[in-house]
Amino acid sequence: MRQSPLFSGFVYLLLGALFTYFAIQDVQQNGWGFFAYLLVILATFDLGSGLKIILFSFAKNKGKK
């Protein structure tokens, strides 16, 4: 069974928000280290991918109607 693109997009947005939270916590405790930069990069990719997938899903559904 295939997942809908909308669901996948929301999962990516959730992961991006989670990585952002962890990055903020890490910076507050340890400053800007390698792990903080890694979390920020992961959050950026996840938020961007999630937004792109959701917008694609809406455009695809709009084109069907």
Side-chain angles (χ1 to χ4, degrees), residues 1 3 5-8 11 17 19-20 25 48 53 55 59 61 64:
M1 187 164 144
Q3 293 180 3
L6 193 60
F7 178 75
S8 296
V11 169
F19 285 137
T20 302
Q25 294 299 316
I53 291 171
L55 291 176
N61 287 340
K64 282 185 179 180

Side-chain angles (χ1 to χ4, degrees), residues 16-62:
L18 190 66
F19 285 137
T20 302
Y21 173 76
F22 287 144
I24 291 170
Q25 294 299 316
D26 188 56
V27 169
Q28 286 178 348
Q29 291 176 358
N30 303 322
W32 284 98
F34 173 76
F35 192 62
Y37 283 114
L38 180 67
L39 286 171
V40 168
I41 290 170
L42 288 173
T44 303
F45 285 138
D46 281 341
L47 289 172
S49 296
L51 193 60
K52 183 177 178 181
I53 291 171
I54 289 172
L55 291 176
F56 173 75
S57 174
F58 284 140
K60 188 175 111 176
N61 287 340
K62 187 177 180 182

